[in-house]
Amino acid sequence: MTALAHDEHVVAGGLVTSLNHSAAYLRMRFGGVLTGTGSRPGRVRADTRALIRAKTFFQEETPLALFPYEEEGRSRNGALRPAARTV
């Protein structure tokens, strides 16, 4: 979970990529991030997208983090592997 000082959650893309790649390197599970606009106290309560996503964020099974090339069907050594499950 993280707070942003921007209404567009897409600006957290770099953070999401870094967290995913770190988890993939460590062979950990990573279910994404829950972002909310928190530029001042209580502001996140007005972020309807964050509130809607928060209701189901922890209900899904957390998948194994993968690097982009692993998601495309290739393992670290270039061998074909089963397609990754999308969430």
Side-chain angles (χ1 to χ4, degrees):
M1 290 183 264
T2 190
L4 307 170
H6 199 285
D7 289 332
E8 296 299 325
H9 295 214
V10 69
V11 300
L15 170 66
V16 176
T17 299
S18 295
L19 291 172
N20 180 76
H21 286 10
S22 296
Y25 176 77
L26 295 168
R27 307 313 289 164
M28 296 171 58
R29 295 184 174 279
F30 180 70
V33 297
L34 178 58
T35 57
T37 304
S39 54
R40 61 185 177 278
R43 172 62 177 89
V44 74
R45 291 185 188 109
D47 188 340
T48 55
R49 287 184 294 174
L51 295 175
I52 290 168
R53 179 116 199 268
K55 290 180 181 180
T56 60
F57 188 75
F58 293 107
Q59 293 178 355
E60 298 174 5
E61 183 179 336
T62 305
L64 183 65
L66 300 172
F67 288 106
Y69 60 84
E70 293 176 309
E71 293 172 358
E72 294 169 1
R74 300 231 171 242
S75 67
R76 290 179 183 189
N77 64 8
L80 287 175
R81 57 179 271 149
R85 183 177 74 89
T86 58
V87 177

